[in-house]
Amino acid sequence: MLKGRNLLEPMDFSLSELEEIFDLADRIIEEPAKYVHACDGKLLATLFYEPSTRTRFSFEAAMLRLGGQIIGFSEPNSSSVAKGESIADTIKTVACYADLAVMRHPKEGAPKVAAHSTDMPVINAGDGGHQHPTQTLTDLLTIRRTLGDFDNITVGCCGDLKFGRTVHSLIKALSRYKNVKFVLISPEELRIPEYVRKEILIKNGIEFEEVRSMQEALPKLDVLYMTRVQKERFFNEEDYIRLKDTYILDKPKMKLAKEKMIVLHPLPRVNEIAVEVDEDPRAMYFVQAKNGMFVRMALIMSLLGIEG
């Protein structure tokens, strides 16, 4: 069903297509040995114009665990991009060698340009402060595996909601499920962008509130999605220093939360979640990171049209 498709933003796939990917990811988690040769002879190109650890490693691990191979670059100065080559020309060249490509880029819309320049499937691994759809697949799979469903849940998004592309993608994806409510926790300077507020939340009649206090929000939540304040998105270091420690989740705050609330974080964390929280069974962010590899394995197989 998904063979040859691109994944540029969370809404590219229908709910039934997402379920197909999650079901395959579940099967891979249960029987990983069954899939070690699923992508024999296939080649994944990783085109990372911006630093990444988890996303790049999880894609590379996913392809290698499926029996495939990898080519690519982890920063543009090691490629012909440093000579001024366009995204369109880069992807056309890569398509001569690879079966699908994963792209991270600091400019919004860059993976879309790439996708329009080739017939090879292109996966957006994050474009500026815009979208991060494979992180969203990771988030959704983790919610499904821990809470069982997406309907009738209250999700708290905390921290940098202005530049946090993972938050924007997650809100967009969850907006299609029934009776999902959002509590948006941030300082005034890092509030959710107007386009997310108007075009996703208000337009779809989704219940949400914007608050400054994490403590006030915690008792209501089924999911707490923490984010770091991203230094690389700030033009003014003084603003970053002033805002970076606004929210820190620790043991006393966790006592305010529901027994079954789960804590997610796209990682890397800096100090917004105290290390002591890692011991709490509700802390799911490292499980979430592992789920990222499994859901990317399922995505790669689906876009290549490999049965699972």
Side-chain angles (χ1 to χ4, degrees):
M1 190 188 296
L2 292 170
K3 183 179 180 180
R5 299 266 294 277
N6 302 306
L7 177 59
L8 303 176
E9 62 152 299
M11 308 297 263
D12 284 344
F13 297 159
S14 68
L15 294 185
S16 62
E17 288 168 340
L18 288 177
E19 289 300 309
E20 183 184 316
I21 291 171
F22 299 147
D23 288 344
L24 177 54
D26 284 339
R27 293 195 294 274
I28 294 169
I29 290 168
E30 287 157 19
E31 290 186 271
K34 184 179 172 183
Y35 299 90
V36 293
H37 296 294
C39 286
D40 282 357
K42 299 295 185 181
L43 201 58
L44 170 70
T46 56
L47 313 177
F48 280 72
Y49 293 75
E50 193 176 53
S52 168
T53 303
R54 270 143 299 275
T55 304
R56 182 167 63 88
F57 280 12
S58 64
F59 266 113
E60 291 179 356
M63 193 57 167
L64 291 170
R65 287 186 181 276
L66 291 169
Q69 300 295 317
I70 301 150
I71 57 172
F73 55 81
S74 57
E75 57 122 329
N77 289 336
S78 63
S79 74
S80 289
V81 174
K83 302 173 185 175
E85 184 175 54
S86 68
I87 289 170
D89 282 1
T90 296
I91 202 72
K92 285 175 184 175
T93 304
V94 169
C96 297
Y97 316 125
D99 297 290
L100 76 165
V102 177
M103 176 181 282
R104 168 168 286 190
H105 203 284
K107 290 185 180 176
E108 294 178 12
K112 190 173 184 178
V113 171
H116 287 167
S117 304
T118 180
D119 292 330
M120 173 181 64
V122 173
I123 301 168
N124 178 5
D127 57 335
H130 192 222
Q131 302 284 349
H132 196 345
T134 62
Q135 180 64 51
T136 303
L137 296 188
T138 300
D139 302 339
L140 293 178
L141 178 66
T142 307
I143 292 169
R144 192 177 91 148
R145 287 182 63 82
T146 50
L147 299 184
D149 201 355
F150 304 112
D151 296 340
N152 305 307
I153 60 172
T154 299
V155 179
C157 300
C158 181
D160 181 359
L161 309 188
K162 181 177 182 180
F163 299 110
R165 58 190 168 198
T166 59
V167 170
H168 306 166
S169 290
L170 183 63
I171 290 173
K172 201 166 191 179
L174 285 173
S175 69
R176 294 191 285 180
Y177 295 96
K178 292 177 186 173
N179 196 31
V180 176
K181 300 172 185 174
F182 291 97
V183 182
L184 307 174
I185 311 156
S186 73
E188 186 70 27
E189 297 91 335
L190 296 175
R191 289 176 67 192
I192 205 83
E194 197 63 20
Y195 86 90
V196 177
R197 189 181 293 105
K198 285 185 176 177
E199 294 301 314
I200 302 173
L201 295 168
I202 295 172
K203 188 175 181 180
N204 292 296
I206 295 165
E207 188 177 331
F208 73 98
E209 58 179 312
E210 296 181 87
V211 301
R212 287 185 64 97
S213 168
M214 183 196 290
Q215 290 92 320
E216 177 190 328
L218 275 169
K220 311 173 187 178
L221 306 179
D222 300 298
V223 178
L224 173 61
Y225 196 91
M226 292 294 294
T227 66
R228 70 187 170 94
V229 176
Q230 302 174 81
K231 187 176 183 180
E232 65 270 25
R233 305 289 176 209
F234 279 79
F235 295 109
N236 186 331
E237 190 167 356
E238 287 179 9
D239 287 343
Y240 167 72
I241 291 168
R242 180 169 52 84
L243 295 168
K244 70 183 179 70
D245 295 330
T246 306
Y247 300 107
I248 297 176
L249 183 65
D250 54 21
K251 272 188 175 179
K253 292 190 184 77
M254 287 295 288
K255 288 178 181 175
L256 302 171
K258 293 178 183 178
E259 258 184 61
K260 293 190 176 179
M261 183 197 79
I262 60 171
V263 181
L264 302 182
H265 192 307
L267 302 178
R269 71 170 159 191
V270 183
N271 65 341
E272 60 279 358
I273 300 179
V275 175
E276 63 188 25
V277 177
D278 296 357
E279 300 167 10
D280 193 304
R282 295 169 291 180
M284 298 300 296
Y285 29 90
F286 291 113
V287 172
Q288 181 186 0
K290 193 165 188 177
N291 284 342
M293 178 183 70
F294 293 123
V295 83
R296 288 174 175 108
M297 290 170 76
L299 177 64
I300 288 167
M301 287 178 62
S302 298
L303 298 188
L304 291 176
I306 296 168
E307 293 291 324

